[in-house]
Amino acid sequence: MAVTTTPLTETGHPQDPVSIYEKHRTDLQRAKLGQNILFLLLFFGMLIFSIVTSQFYPERLAQAASRVFEYFGTIMPNLQWDLLFEGRDEQGRAVEGSLTFWYTDLDKYLSLIWETILMAITATLLGTAGALALCFAGSRNLMKNSWIYFFARRFMEICRGVPEILIALIFVFAFGIGPLAGILAVAIHTAGALGKLFAEVNENVSRRPIDGIRGVGGNWFEQMRYGVLPQVLPNFVSYGLLRFEINVRASSIIGFVGAGGIGQELNRVISFYSDDRVLAVLVLVVITVTLIDLLSERLRLYFIGKEQL
Amino acid sequence: MAPVRTLSALTEADIAATRSANPDAFGNSRKSLLIYAAWASVFVYLAFAFIYFDFGRIFEPSENAQRLLRAMFRWEDMETWQYANIYRGIAETLAMAFLGTFLASLVALVVGFLAARNIVRFGLFRHTVRRILDVFRGIDQLVWALVFVRAVGLGPLAGVLAIFISDIGTLSKLYSEAIENIDRKQVEGIRSTGAGPVRTIRFGILPQVLPVFLSQSLYFLESNTRSATSLGIVGAGGIGMIIIERFRATLYDQVVFVVINVLILVAIIDWVSKKIRMKFIGEVGE
């Protein structure tokens, strides 16, 4: 930081405080000026590069905007107030303008959403198991062998670094279309992401229980099981539930590449139709995700609350 | 209970008495039953899931899968790979993430204030803004991408729009929370000098929240670079489109190469944004 020299007046008194302050301020600003200009140049260079690369030009944008609005117009359902709760008629046909007409395929959607939730549960369980297996080896304070530590860390990084949907694509290719590929992809991502969080929790545990277990002759696994796990379990459960919420979202979109769940249907209706079916599925997905979030939040609070008692 | 002198002097009655005096020290049978029941239900569920989702298929991978696995470790004809194409895709991904995050941050700067309780006193308006943000956030980025691909066609523009829309939802929420957590004193100080609402925001609020905003936008730039890869897989431009194109052409070694490059790019952005945060924010912003 620049030090301001304040020249004295002839009588030996300092100049008036306002001018001293202003001088100090300009000095500080000048010191930072060069750096700020550099950052601004970099920033605008980046911005121009981005605009050119993605062809984000006004005329294209205007065209795109009108098409987006047009599209959103076409996926709106045609609902009429007076017919809204009209059931099916004698021939089993729904009346146009009613909710039943909009959600003709409700049964199919619901069974797919059920499948999505089961996928999320299975993936969360498997992923948490994987994370549990990895997290102790990936904690600095618990794993003395730096090679195992290094590989555990890198392995978790790769698991969470590669996009879920790409892993799903590979598994669809290897094991065929269906929820299995989605489950495995989400589980692998979960193992990487939760493993990192678990390892961070592990790094903050108290050493005393571990030393105690070692003192009575416990091996490494016993130290982890009886020394570390009781300390970290509440946190693990909370993180696991949080991950479950994320996995419900992930499972609902992983079907885009054919890996099961509601995403497969969502992809189908978006790609092949542009009518109210798109919005029907979207609304269901959003409602499901919101409900699961609320439910899991209550469960989390319950678990945390219990621990504090 | 009589004092025990040696261990062999313990009678069955003594043990029973000690047990009943300290019920919790020897394990609560109801609690342990509950734990066993929980574990049992997890295993029953997993067994059900393994059958329901046909996990047996893992052990009979197709011919292609073995070829894929081989190609991951053996790279062939590396001189014929179109590197220019690959790196243009990576640049496109970075551009999408940057532009999307930047535009979303600009919008969130305004919307964040509109959704903050201590700025907009009028509840109905604030709640309307928040519910709209919830919708933006509730629909996944990938779904937005699919919708925009359908609306504006294949290419990076759809990706930018998808990142833009979904980030408006998340960033505005985070920004408004930052605004709600400011220190009132500074705002009152500015207001007491007779400043109007615009100046109060500029000198009272912005200096407090700008570091937090910058830090959050940088985090989003990083996470968007990651997710922009997935956006390409549904057709929204960038490296993802190259990945899926190579994948369809069964050039798996190139897919692995591209993915490694993306991981490196993300690591670089992570590092740069950490530096920028340190530079501008120091220890303040998380």
Side-chain angles (χ1 to χ4, degrees), chain B residues 238-269:
Chain B
I239 193 67
M241 274 175 94
I242 292 181
I243 290 179
I244 195 131
E245 176 192 295
R246 301 284 144 99
F247 195 88
R248 295 242 163 87
T250 68
L251 301 166
Y252 308 120
D253 39 2
Q254 295 196 35
V255 172
V256 175
F257 174 76
V258 172
V259 170
I260 291 174
N261 272 290
V262 172
L263 291 181
I264 294 171
L265 173 75
V266 172
I268 290 173
I269 290 181

PDB file of all heavy atoms in Angstrom, chain B residues 238-269:
ATOM      1  N   GLY B 238     -20.737 -26.829 -28.139  1.00  0.00           N
ATOM      2  CA  GLY B 238     -19.582 -27.044 -27.294  1.00  0.00           C
ATOM      3  C   GLY B 238     -18.989 -28.432 -27.428  1.00  0.00           C
ATOM      4  O   GLY B 238     -19.315 -29.200 -28.330  1.00  0.00           O
ATOM      5  N   ILE B 239     -18.149 -28.754 -26.473  1.00  0.00           N
ATOM      6  CA  ILE B 239     -17.366 -29.979 -26.523  1.00  0.00           C
ATOM      7  C   ILE B 239     -18.257 -31.219 -26.438  1.00  0.00           C
ATOM      8  O   ILE B 239     -17.922 -32.276 -26.994  1.00  0.00           O
ATOM      9  CB  ILE B 239     -16.299 -29.976 -25.410  1.00  0.00           C
ATOM     10  CG1 ILE B 239     -15.271 -31.060 -25.620  1.00  0.00           C
ATOM     11  CG2 ILE B 239     -16.930 -30.109 -24.048  1.00  0.00           C
ATOM     12  CD1 ILE B 239     -14.421 -30.840 -26.838  1.00  0.00           C
ATOM     13  N   GLY B 240     -19.404 -31.086 -25.771  1.00  0.00           N
ATOM     14  CA  GLY B 240     -20.301 -32.227 -25.622  1.00  0.00           C
ATOM     15  C   GLY B 240     -20.754 -32.765 -26.969  1.00  0.00           C
ATOM     16  O   GLY B 240     -20.879 -33.989 -27.163  1.00  0.00           O
ATOM     17  N   MET B 241     -20.978 -31.854 -27.907  1.00  0.00           N
ATOM     18  CA  MET B 241     -21.400 -32.293 -29.237  1.00  0.00           C
ATOM     19  C   MET B 241     -20.291 -33.079 -29.923  1.00  0.00           C
ATOM     20  O   MET B 241     -20.543 -34.033 -30.655  1.00  0.00           O
ATOM     21  CB  MET B 241     -21.801 -31.092 -30.084  1.00  0.00           C
ATOM     22  CG  MET B 241     -23.244 -30.714 -29.874  1.00  0.00           C
ATOM     23  SD  MET B 241     -23.715 -29.238 -30.747  1.00  0.00           S
ATOM     24  CE  MET B 241     -24.380 -29.905 -32.244  1.00  0.00           C
ATOM     25  N   ILE B 242     -19.048 -32.640 -29.678  1.00  0.00           N
ATOM     26  CA  ILE B 242     -17.924 -33.364 -30.266  1.00  0.00           C
ATOM     27  C   ILE B 242     -17.789 -34.730 -29.621  1.00  0.00           C
ATOM     28  O   ILE B 242     -17.561 -35.738 -30.296  1.00  0.00           O
ATOM     29  CB  ILE B 242     -16.631 -32.527 -30.113  1.00  0.00           C
ATOM     30  CG1 ILE B 242     -16.764 -31.305 -31.005  1.00  0.00           C
ATOM     31  CG2 ILE B 242     -15.406 -33.345 -30.441  1.00  0.00           C
ATOM     32  CD1 ILE B 242     -15.610 -30.407 -31.010  1.00  0.00           C
ATOM     33  N   ILE B 243     -18.005 -34.769 -28.298  1.00  0.00           N
ATOM     34  CA  ILE B 243     -17.923 -36.049 -27.599  1.00  0.00           C
ATOM     35  C   ILE B 243     -18.942 -37.020 -28.173  1.00  0.00           C
ATOM     36  O   ILE B 243     -18.622 -38.164 -28.529  1.00  0.00           O
ATOM     37  CB  ILE B 243     -18.166 -35.864 -26.077  1.00  0.00           C
ATOM     38  CG1 ILE B 243     -16.998 -35.134 -25.437  1.00  0.00           C
ATOM     39  CG2 ILE B 243     -18.394 -37.199 -25.404  1.00  0.00           C
ATOM     40  CD1 ILE B 243     -17.157 -34.888 -23.968  1.00  0.00           C
ATOM     41  N   ILE B 244     -20.178 -36.549 -28.324  1.00  0.00           N
ATOM     42  CA  ILE B 244     -21.224 -37.477 -28.753  1.00  0.00           C
ATOM     43  C   ILE B 244     -21.026 -37.886 -30.208  1.00  0.00           C
ATOM     44  O   ILE B 244     -21.285 -39.026 -30.591  1.00  0.00           O
ATOM     45  CB  ILE B 244     -22.630 -36.889 -28.500  1.00  0.00           C
ATOM     46  CG1 ILE B 244     -23.690 -37.990 -28.587  1.00  0.00           C
ATOM     47  CG2 ILE B 244     -22.995 -35.800 -29.448  1.00  0.00           C
ATOM     48  CD1 ILE B 244     -24.611 -37.989 -27.450  1.00  0.00           C
ATOM     49  N   GLU B 245     -20.485 -36.970 -30.985  1.00  0.00           N
ATOM     50  CA  GLU B 245     -20.215 -37.276 -32.394  1.00  0.00           C
ATOM     51  C   GLU B 245     -19.137 -38.355 -32.507  1.00  0.00           C
ATOM     52  O   GLU B 245     -19.289 -39.351 -33.236  1.00  0.00           O
ATOM     53  CB  GLU B 245     -19.761 -35.966 -33.049  1.00  0.00           C
ATOM     54  CG  GLU B 245     -19.343 -36.011 -34.471  1.00  0.00           C
ATOM     55  CD  GLU B 245     -18.669 -34.700 -34.821  1.00  0.00           C
ATOM     56  OE1 GLU B 245     -19.352 -33.641 -34.795  1.00  0.00           O
ATOM     57  OE2 GLU B 245     -17.454 -34.714 -35.075  1.00  0.00           O
ATOM     58  N   ARG B 246     -18.066 -38.203 -31.728  1.00  0.00           N
ATOM     59  CA  ARG B 246     -16.998 -39.208 -31.732  1.00  0.00           C
ATOM     60  C   ARG B 246     -17.505 -40.533 -31.167  1.00  0.00           C
ATOM     61  O   ARG B 246     -17.116 -41.608 -31.594  1.00  0.00           O
ATOM     62  CB  ARG B 246     -15.803 -38.736 -30.876  1.00  0.00           C
ATOM     63  CG  ARG B 246     -15.194 -37.455 -31.319  1.00  0.00           C
ATOM     64  CD  ARG B 246     -14.335 -37.642 -32.550  1.00  0.00           C
ATOM     65  NE  ARG B 246     -14.453 -36.469 -33.413  1.00  0.00           N
ATOM     66  CZ  ARG B 246     -13.579 -35.487 -33.468  1.00  0.00           C
ATOM     67  NH1 ARG B 246     -12.491 -35.549 -32.784  1.00  0.00           N
ATOM     68  NH2 ARG B 246     -13.779 -34.451 -34.255  1.00  0.00           N
ATOM     69  N   PHE B 247     -18.376 -40.412 -30.175  1.00  0.00           N
ATOM     70  CA  PHE B 247     -18.909 -41.612 -29.548  1.00  0.00           C
ATOM     71  C   PHE B 247     -19.725 -42.415 -30.551  1.00  0.00           C
ATOM     72  O   PHE B 247     -19.590 -43.628 -30.662  1.00  0.00           O
ATOM     73  CB  PHE B 247     -19.788 -41.208 -28.362  1.00  0.00           C
ATOM     74  CG  PHE B 247     -20.100 -42.332 -27.435  1.00  0.00           C
ATOM     75  CD1 PHE B 247     -19.254 -42.628 -26.389  1.00  0.00           C
ATOM     76  CD2 PHE B 247     -21.235 -43.104 -27.604  1.00  0.00           C
ATOM     77  CE1 PHE B 247     -19.525 -43.669 -25.538  1.00  0.00           C
ATOM     78  CE2 PHE B 247     -21.514 -44.145 -26.754  1.00  0.00           C
ATOM     79  CZ  PHE B 247     -20.659 -44.425 -25.719  1.00  0.00           C
ATOM     80  N   ARG B 248     -20.570 -41.707 -31.318  1.00  0.00           N
ATOM     81  CA  ARG B 248     -21.400 -42.381 -32.320  1.00  0.00           C
ATOM     82  C   ARG B 248     -20.532 -42.998 -33.401  1.00  0.00           C
ATOM     83  O   ARG B 248     -20.884 -44.030 -33.977  1.00  0.00           O
ATOM     84  CB  ARG B 248     -22.351 -41.366 -32.950  1.00  0.00           C
ATOM     85  CG  ARG B 248     -23.351 -40.815 -31.961  1.00  0.00           C
ATOM     86  CD  ARG B 248     -24.769 -41.142 -32.355  1.00  0.00           C
ATOM     87  NE  ARG B 248     -25.661 -40.954 -31.221  1.00  0.00           N
ATOM     88  CZ  ARG B 248     -26.220 -39.788 -30.910  1.00  0.00           C
ATOM     89  NH1 ARG B 248     -25.992 -38.719 -31.648  1.00  0.00           N
ATOM     90  NH2 ARG B 248     -27.010 -39.707 -29.869  1.00  0.00           N
ATOM     91  N   ALA B 249     -19.394 -42.337 -33.684  1.00  0.00           N
ATOM     92  CA  ALA B 249     -18.500 -42.849 -34.723  1.00  0.00           C
ATOM     93  C   ALA B 249     -17.569 -43.919 -34.173  1.00  0.00           C
ATOM     94  O   ALA B 249     -16.605 -44.305 -34.834  1.00  0.00           O
ATOM     95  CB  ALA B 249     -17.699 -41.709 -35.325  1.00  0.00           C
ATOM     96  N   THR B 250     -17.839 -44.376 -32.939  1.00  0.00           N
ATOM     97  CA  THR B 250     -17.061 -45.402 -32.235  1.00  0.00           C
ATOM     98  C   THR B 250     -15.573 -45.065 -32.124  1.00  0.00           C
ATOM     99  O   THR B 250     -14.721 -45.923 -32.173  1.00  0.00           O
ATOM    100  CB  THR B 250     -17.202 -46.800 -32.882  1.00  0.00           C
ATOM    101  OG1 THR B 250     -16.578 -46.780 -34.149  1.00  0.00           O
ATOM    102  CG2 THR B 250     -18.639 -47.232 -32.992  1.00  0.00           C
ATOM    103  N   LEU B 251     -15.264 -43.770 -31.970  1.00  0.00           N
ATOM    104  CA  LEU B 251     -13.864 -43.363 -31.757  1.00  0.00           C
ATOM    105  C   LEU B 251     -13.660 -43.125 -30.260  1.00  0.00           C
ATOM    106  O   LEU B 251     -13.506 -41.995 -29.810  1.00  0.00           O
ATOM    107  CB  LEU B 251     -13.567 -42.088 -32.544  1.00  0.00           C
ATOM    108  CG  LEU B 251     -13.776 -42.190 -34.055  1.00  0.00           C
ATOM    109  CD1 LEU B 251     -13.799 -40.817 -34.683  1.00  0.00           C
ATOM    110  CD2 LEU B 251     -12.672 -43.033 -34.665  1.00  0.00           C
ATOM    111  N   TYR B 252     -13.703 -44.212 -29.497  1.00  0.00           N
ATOM    112  CA  TYR B 252     -13.723 -44.074 -28.038  1.00  0.00           C
ATOM    113  C   TYR B 252     -12.437 -43.498 -27.486  1.00  0.00           C
ATOM    114  O   TYR B 252     -12.449 -42.808 -26.470  1.00  0.00           O
ATOM    115  CB  TYR B 252     -14.023 -45.419 -27.384  1.00  0.00           C
ATOM    116  CG  TYR B 252     -15.251 -46.054 -27.942  1.00  0.00           C
ATOM    117  CD1 TYR B 252     -15.202 -47.285 -28.562  1.00  0.00           C
ATOM    118  CD2 TYR B 252     -16.465 -45.385 -27.877  1.00  0.00           C
ATOM    119  CE1 TYR B 252     -16.335 -47.855 -29.092  1.00  0.00           C
ATOM    120  CE2 TYR B 252     -17.600 -45.944 -28.417  1.00  0.00           C
ATOM    121  CZ  TYR B 252     -17.534 -47.177 -29.026  1.00  0.00           C
ATOM    122  OH  TYR B 252     -18.643 -47.713 -29.560  1.00  0.00           O
ATOM    123  N   ASP B 253     -11.314 -43.793 -28.152  1.00  0.00           N
ATOM    124  CA  ASP B 253     -10.057 -43.248 -27.633  1.00  0.00           C
ATOM    125  C   ASP B 253     -10.087 -41.727 -27.656  1.00  0.00           C
ATOM    126  O   ASP B 253      -9.604 -41.067 -26.745  1.00  0.00           O
ATOM    127  CB  ASP B 253      -8.851 -43.808 -28.408  1.00  0.00           C
ATOM    128  CG  ASP B 253      -9.134 -43.920 -29.886  1.00  0.00           C
ATOM    129  OD1 ASP B 253     -10.231 -43.526 -30.307  1.00  0.00           O
ATOM    130  OD2 ASP B 253      -8.253 -44.398 -30.618  1.00  0.00           O
ATOM    131  N   GLN B 254     -10.714 -41.178 -28.699  1.00  0.00           N
ATOM    132  CA  GLN B 254     -10.809 -39.718 -28.775  1.00  0.00           C
ATOM    133  C   GLN B 254     -11.745 -39.177 -27.700  1.00  0.00           C
ATOM    134  O   GLN B 254     -11.508 -38.108 -27.143  1.00  0.00           O
ATOM    135  CB  GLN B 254     -11.310 -39.298 -30.151  1.00  0.00           C
ATOM    136  CG  GLN B 254     -10.328 -39.651 -31.237  1.00  0.00           C
ATOM    137  CD  GLN B 254     -10.627 -38.904 -32.522  1.00  0.00           C
ATOM    138  OE1 GLN B 254     -11.066 -37.768 -32.510  1.00  0.00           O
ATOM    139  NE2 GLN B 254     -10.382 -39.559 -33.637  1.00  0.00           N
ATOM    140  N   VAL B 255     -12.817 -39.941 -27.413  1.00  0.00           N
ATOM    141  CA  VAL B 255     -13.726 -39.515 -26.345  1.00  0.00           C
ATOM    142  C   VAL B 255     -12.959 -39.376 -25.036  1.00  0.00           C
ATOM    143  O   VAL B 255     -13.074 -38.369 -24.335  1.00  0.00           O
ATOM    144  CB  VAL B 255     -14.891 -40.522 -26.185  1.00  0.00           C
ATOM    145  CG1 VAL B 255     -15.718 -40.200 -24.961  1.00  0.00           C
ATOM    146  CG2 VAL B 255     -15.771 -40.523 -27.422  1.00  0.00           C
ATOM    147  N   VAL B 256     -12.146 -40.397 -24.740  1.00  0.00           N
ATOM    148  CA  VAL B 256     -11.369 -40.360 -23.500  1.00  0.00           C
ATOM    149  C   VAL B 256     -10.428 -39.164 -23.507  1.00  0.00           C
ATOM    150  O   VAL B 256     -10.322 -38.426 -22.519  1.00  0.00           O
ATOM    151  CB  VAL B 256     -10.571 -41.671 -23.333  1.00  0.00           C
ATOM    152  CG1 VAL B 256      -9.680 -41.593 -22.115  1.00  0.00           C
ATOM    153  CG2 VAL B 256     -11.516 -42.838 -23.206  1.00  0.00           C
ATOM    154  N   PHE B 257      -9.787 -38.929 -24.648  1.00  0.00           N
ATOM    155  CA  PHE B 257      -8.860 -37.800 -24.765  1.00  0.00           C
ATOM    156  C   PHE B 257      -9.590 -36.481 -24.484  1.00  0.00           C
ATOM    157  O   PHE B 257      -9.116 -35.637 -23.726  1.00  0.00           O
ATOM    158  CB  PHE B 257      -8.248 -37.802 -26.175  1.00  0.00           C
ATOM    159  CG  PHE B 257      -7.390 -36.615 -26.463  1.00  0.00           C
ATOM    160  CD1 PHE B 257      -6.107 -36.530 -25.935  1.00  0.00           C
ATOM    161  CD2 PHE B 257      -7.849 -35.584 -27.269  1.00  0.00           C
ATOM    162  CE1 PHE B 257      -5.314 -35.439 -26.205  1.00  0.00           C
ATOM    163  CE2 PHE B 257      -7.059 -34.495 -27.538  1.00  0.00           C
ATOM    164  CZ  PHE B 257      -5.794 -34.417 -27.010  1.00  0.00           C
ATOM    165  N   VAL B 258     -10.759 -36.315 -25.110  1.00  0.00           N
ATOM    166  CA  VAL B 258     -11.524 -35.076 -24.936  1.00  0.00           C
ATOM    167  C   VAL B 258     -11.937 -34.906 -23.479  1.00  0.00           C
ATOM    168  O   VAL B 258     -11.806 -33.814 -22.915  1.00  0.00           O
ATOM    169  CB  VAL B 258     -12.766 -35.083 -25.850  1.00  0.00           C
ATOM    170  CG1 VAL B 258     -13.660 -33.906 -25.528  1.00  0.00           C
ATOM    171  CG2 VAL B 258     -12.368 -35.049 -27.304  1.00  0.00           C
ATOM    172  N   VAL B 259     -12.390 -35.994 -22.854  1.00  0.00           N
ATOM    173  CA  VAL B 259     -12.836 -35.887 -21.462  1.00  0.00           C
ATOM    174  C   VAL B 259     -11.678 -35.470 -20.561  1.00  0.00           C
ATOM    175  O   VAL B 259     -11.826 -34.616 -19.689  1.00  0.00           O
ATOM    176  CB  VAL B 259     -13.454 -37.221 -20.992  1.00  0.00           C
ATOM    177  CG1 VAL B 259     -13.684 -37.205 -19.497  1.00  0.00           C
ATOM    178  CG2 VAL B 259     -14.758 -37.466 -21.710  1.00  0.00           C
ATOM    179  N   ILE B 260     -10.503 -36.040 -20.804  1.00  0.00           N
ATOM    180  CA  ILE B 260      -9.335 -35.656 -20.011  1.00  0.00           C
ATOM    181  C   ILE B 260      -9.050 -34.167 -20.190  1.00  0.00           C
ATOM    182  O   ILE B 260      -8.781 -33.437 -19.228  1.00  0.00           O
ATOM    183  CB  ILE B 260      -8.110 -36.510 -20.400  1.00  0.00           C
ATOM    184  CG1 ILE B 260      -8.330 -37.949 -19.941  1.00  0.00           C
ATOM    185  CG2 ILE B 260      -6.836 -35.948 -19.781  1.00  0.00           C
ATOM    186  CD1 ILE B 260      -7.267 -38.904 -20.403  1.00  0.00           C
ATOM    187  N   ASN B 261      -9.177 -33.691 -21.433  1.00  0.00           N
ATOM    188  CA  ASN B 261      -8.960 -32.273 -21.687  1.00  0.00           C
ATOM    189  C   ASN B 261      -9.959 -31.398 -20.940  1.00  0.00           C
ATOM    190  O   ASN B 261      -9.592 -30.351 -20.408  1.00  0.00           O
ATOM    191  CB  ASN B 261      -9.058 -31.993 -23.186  1.00  0.00           C
ATOM    192  CG  ASN B 261      -7.732 -32.183 -23.873  1.00  0.00           C
ATOM    193  OD1 ASN B 261      -6.823 -31.399 -23.665  1.00  0.00           O
ATOM    194  ND2 ASN B 261      -7.612 -33.234 -24.646  1.00  0.00           N
ATOM    195  N   VAL B 262     -11.215 -31.846 -20.914  1.00  0.00           N
ATOM    196  CA  VAL B 262     -12.227 -31.067 -20.201  1.00  0.00           C
ATOM    197  C   VAL B 262     -11.896 -31.010 -18.711  1.00  0.00           C
ATOM    198  O   VAL B 262     -11.993 -29.957 -18.078  1.00  0.00           O
ATOM    199  CB  VAL B 262     -13.635 -31.668 -20.419  1.00  0.00           C
ATOM    200  CG1 VAL B 262     -14.648 -30.992 -19.529  1.00  0.00           C
ATOM    201  CG2 VAL B 262     -14.053 -31.533 -21.864  1.00  0.00           C
ATOM    202  N   LEU B 263     -11.475 -32.156 -18.168  1.00  0.00           N
ATOM    203  CA  LEU B 263     -11.121 -32.183 -16.741  1.00  0.00           C
ATOM    204  C   LEU B 263      -9.986 -31.199 -16.461  1.00  0.00           C
ATOM    205  O   LEU B 263      -9.996 -30.487 -15.455  1.00  0.00           O
ATOM    206  CB  LEU B 263     -10.714 -33.595 -16.309  1.00  0.00           C
ATOM    207  CG  LEU B 263     -11.826 -34.640 -16.283  1.00  0.00           C
ATOM    208  CD1 LEU B 263     -11.291 -35.971 -15.809  1.00  0.00           C
ATOM    209  CD2 LEU B 263     -12.953 -34.183 -15.377  1.00  0.00           C
ATOM    210  N   ILE B 264      -9.014 -31.142 -17.380  1.00  0.00           N
ATOM    211  CA  ILE B 264      -7.904 -30.212 -17.193  1.00  0.00           C
ATOM    212  C   ILE B 264      -8.408 -28.773 -17.255  1.00  0.00           C
ATOM    213  O   ILE B 264      -8.045 -27.934 -16.423  1.00  0.00           O
ATOM    214  CB  ILE B 264      -6.807 -30.459 -18.257  1.00  0.00           C
ATOM    215  CG1 ILE B 264      -6.168 -31.825 -18.033  1.00  0.00           C
ATOM    216  CG2 ILE B 264      -5.746 -29.366 -18.211  1.00  0.00           C
ATOM    217  CD1 ILE B 264      -5.237 -32.270 -19.132  1.00  0.00           C
ATOM    218  N   LEU B 265      -9.302 -28.494 -18.226  1.00  0.00           N
ATOM    219  CA  LEU B 265      -9.858 -27.146 -18.344  1.00  0.00           C
ATOM    220  C   LEU B 265     -10.557 -26.730 -17.057  1.00  0.00           C
ATOM    221  O   LEU B 265     -10.350 -25.620 -16.545  1.00  0.00           O
ATOM    222  CB  LEU B 265     -10.841 -27.091 -19.518  1.00  0.00           C
ATOM    223  CG  LEU B 265     -11.611 -25.785 -19.654  1.00  0.00           C
ATOM    224  CD1 LEU B 265     -10.713 -24.700 -20.215  1.00  0.00           C
ATOM    225  CD2 LEU B 265     -12.831 -25.940 -20.532  1.00  0.00           C
ATOM    226  N   VAL B 266     -11.368 -27.651 -16.511  1.00  0.00           N
ATOM    227  CA  VAL B 266     -12.088 -27.332 -15.285  1.00  0.00           C
ATOM    228  C   VAL B 266     -11.106 -27.062 -14.149  1.00  0.00           C
ATOM    229  O   VAL B 266     -11.272 -26.123 -13.368  1.00  0.00           O
ATOM    230  CB  VAL B 266     -13.066 -28.461 -14.917  1.00  0.00           C
ATOM    231  CG1 VAL B 266     -13.677 -28.223 -13.560  1.00  0.00           C
ATOM    232  CG2 VAL B 266     -14.163 -28.569 -15.954  1.00  0.00           C
ATOM    233  N   ALA B 267     -10.047 -27.865 -14.091  1.00  0.00           N
ATOM    234  CA  ALA B 267      -9.042 -27.667 -13.042  1.00  0.00           C
ATOM    235  C   ALA B 267      -8.382 -26.299 -13.198  1.00  0.00           C
ATOM    236  O   ALA B 267      -8.146 -25.597 -12.206  1.00  0.00           O
ATOM    237  CB  ALA B 267      -8.009 -28.781 -13.099  1.00  0.00           C
ATOM    238  N   ILE B 268      -8.107 -25.885 -14.449  1.00  0.00           N
ATOM    239  CA  ILE B 268      -7.474 -24.584 -14.676  1.00  0.00           C
ATOM    240  C   ILE B 268      -8.414 -23.463 -14.224  1.00  0.00           C
ATOM    241  O   ILE B 268      -8.001 -22.531 -13.524  1.00  0.00           O
ATOM    242  CB  ILE B 268      -7.111 -24.406 -16.172  1.00  0.00           C
ATOM    243  CG1 ILE B 268      -5.968 -25.351 -16.540  1.00  0.00           C
ATOM    244  CG2 ILE B 268      -6.717 -22.965 -16.453  1.00  0.00           C
ATOM    245  CD1 ILE B 268      -5.653 -25.366 -18.017  1.00  0.00           C
ATOM    246  N   ILE B 269      -9.692 -23.574 -14.605  1.00  0.00           N
ATOM    247  CA  ILE B 269     -10.647 -22.525 -14.221  1.00  0.00           C
ATOM    248  C   ILE B 269     -10.776 -22.459 -12.704  1.00  0.00           C
ATOM    249  O   ILE B 269     -10.820 -21.382 -12.108  1.00  0.00           O
ATOM    250  CB  ILE B 269     -12.005 -22.781 -14.873  1.00  0.00           C
ATOM    251  CG1 ILE B 269     -11.877 -22.524 -16.361  1.00  0.00           C
ATOM    252  CG2 ILE B 269     -13.081 -21.908 -14.274  1.00  0.00           C
ATOM    253  CD1 ILE B 269     -13.133 -22.702 -17.106  1.00  0.00           C
TER     254      ILE B 269
END
